[in-house]
Amino acid sequence: MKTAKKVISVAWLVLILAFIYIPILLLAVYSFTDATVVGGSIDGFSFQNYITLFKNEETRSMIGGTILLALGSALIATVFGTIGAIGTFYSKRTAKTLINFANQIPVVNADVVTGFSLCVLLIVLLGISKDTFVPLVAGHVVLCAPFVYLSVMPRLKQMDNNLYEAALDLGATPAQALFKVVIPQLLPGILSGFMLAITLSLDDYFITTYTKPSTFDTISTYVVNATKGGQTDIKTALWALSTIIFLIVVIVVVLMNVVSGKKKTTEERI
């Protein structure tokens, strides 16, 4: 009986993983072919899609702009999210409850609502030009900061509450206690929040659509526009881009797990 349950559990897990990863792997395979449609006939393998991706000035500019936007907005969101988490953690119960509640709203709110609201506030009411990139960056920070907050808060709850006060008693200033005692304890959560913020920024479409300059495209907006029309070689080059993004994500996840595993092993030995 136990063996049958185990077999069913493994089969179900394999089925779910296959449903998730087979389409991605299929797209990766076709990115190395000369096919013009996924599922179409393959006459031979080729690196032309990857050559087109990095040779085309438009796609190079789009990738570079997306990466800069993701890194910049993720950095700002990480600072705001970390400060918010620390401030909330050391606040009184009523303030802590209200802030936690307020932080949950952007997380569960639809991106299209957030994007349209920011467009109305920043561009229509405040008159900030979209060409300044301020609405776009602000939109991505609003999107990412709550998730950074959620990544840092569990680390604060695991931390010894007396560490900060002990540092003050030993002569440290509040700033020294924060940066030399509290922040080092939160680094894993801060790093996780930063990586999550980058992922969210790279993936966002609705907020970007409402707040971006007309001449600027991120990967998400460019892909949507490219699939509606345009050159076939650009469309197939996006298969190569999807494959590269997937490989980067896999490498980052593996490295993070390896580092985390080594750290746990070291702590257990100590």
Side-chain angles (χ1 to χ4, degrees), residues 7 13 18 40 46 63 71 82 93 114 128 138 147 173 177 187-188 194 216 218 227 242 245 262:
V7 170
L13 177 61
S46 171
I63 294 171
L71 291 175
T82 302
R93 184 174 180 179
T114 302
I128 300 176
F147 291 92
T173 63
L187 277 179
F194 178 71
F216 179 80
T218 62
T227 54
S242 300
I245 293 174
K262 289 183 178 180

Side-chain angles (χ1 to χ4, degrees), residues 78 82 86 151-152 155-156 159 178-195 256 263:
T78 301
T82 302
I86 294 173
S151 297
V152 175
R155 298 295 303 184
L156 280 164
M159 185 183 68
L178 176 63
F179 288 102
K180 293 185 178 181
V181 178
V182 177
I183 296 296
Q185 297 289 325
L186 305 181
L187 277 179
I190 294 174
L191 180 60
S192 298
F194 178 71
M195 297 302 298
M256 290 181 65
K263 185 177 180 180

Side-chain angles (χ1 to χ4, degrees), residues 94-155:
T94 302
K96 184 183 297 185
T97 302
L98 290 175
I99 296 174
N100 282 329
F101 175 76
N103 186 76
Q104 292 174 8
I105 295 176
V107 174
V108 299
N109 194 26
D111 285 356
V112 63
V113 176
T114 302
F116 185 71
S117 301
L118 287 169
C119 178
V120 172
L121 173 63
L122 299 176
I123 299 173
V124 178
L125 296 181
L126 298 182
I128 300 176
S129 174
K130 292 174 68 174
D131 294 333
T132 63
F133 285 91
V134 172
L136 178 59
V137 174
H140 280 239
V141 171
V142 169
L143 170 68
C144 300
F147 291 92
V148 176
Y149 176 98
L150 293 176
S151 297
V152 175
M153 187 58 74
R155 298 295 303 184

Side-chain angles (χ1 to χ4, degrees), residues 8 14 17 23 26 43 55 64 115 130 142 164-165 170 197 200 203 205 207 209 223 227 234 249-250 258 264-265:
I8 293 174
V14 170
L17 292 176
L26 182 65
D43 296 328
K55 188 177 180 180
K130 292 174 68 174
V142 169
Y164 180 76
E165 295 179 0
L170 292 173
L200 290 170
D203 185 59
Y205 172 75
I207 293 177
T209 299
V223 168
T227 54
I234 297 298
V249 170
V250 170
V258 169
K264 288 182 179 179
T265 303

Side-chain angles (χ1 to χ4, degrees), residues 1-9:
M1 187 67 178
K2 291 183 179 180
T3 304
K5 288 183 178 179
K6 186 176 181 180
V7 170
I8 293 174
S9 299

